[in-house]
Amino acid sequence: MKITLNQDPSFPETEVIINCSQADEDILRLVAMLRIHQKKLVGVLNGEQHLLDVKDILYIDTADKRTFLYTGGAVYESALRLYELEDALRELDFLRAGRSAIVNFRRIRSIRPELGGRLLVTMDNDEQVYVSRQYAGEMKEKLRKLERSILQ
């Protein structure tokens, strides 16, 4: 892969162009990583709306028909439903962890198997989230793909 960086103050904005014969899994992952830096979500904290970078969100969960966005420093409420966030964030490595939770795969520090086929995920701020047996297979497959991509 050839990488070129052109810096010129006359460029009005940053533009990323990828030239390839066919977009393979690595190229698609690179595009997804670039997109995550552009995505923002609105979270409400103490009556104020905050623009949150998606990359800063550790996980999302629901309680009492309310949706919460967890970052390293605060918990924000979202007006969006969990299924809406799951659809919007799927390509950015957010995975369903259970009926009421989604985790940011990029912010996971460790994964440990638990009894009953569940997984215990430790996020990079030391918070822990359980992945139900129903969604553990998707998480394991994501890990296998990551390992295979490193070996290539």
Side-chain angles (χ1 to χ4, degrees), residues 14 16 33-41 53-54:
T14 300
V16 177
M33 288 186 333
L34 291 168
R35 283 188 180 142
I36 198 168
H37 291 284
Q38 296 176 341
K39 296 246 183 194
K40 302 252 187 213
L41 287 175
D53 288 327
V54 170

Side-chain angles (χ1 to χ4, degrees), residues 89-149:
L89 300 173
R90 179 168 298 152
E91 69 180 33
L92 303 177
D93 283 343
F94 280 75
L95 300 173
R96 185 66 88 130
R99 228 172 35 97
S100 63
I102 299 171
V103 296
N104 183 346
F105 188 79
R106 296 176 186 278
R107 301 293 303 269
I108 293 174
R109 178 180 299 144
S110 66
I111 300 173
R112 184 176 75 206
E114 291 283 310
L115 291 175
R118 295 188 314 168
L119 300 173
L120 180 61
V121 172
T122 302
M123 307 307 291
D124 61 16
N125 71 339
D126 291 327
E127 285 192 58
Q128 295 182 319
V129 178
Y130 280 99
V131 177
S132 73
R133 183 179 63 212
Q134 179 181 357
Y135 297 101
E138 185 179 351
M139 183 77 63
K140 290 175 184 177
E141 180 59 29
K142 187 78 172 167
L143 281 171
R144 281 191 286 275
K145 284 182 180 179
L146 179 64
E147 287 176 329
R148 284 192 299 263
S149 71

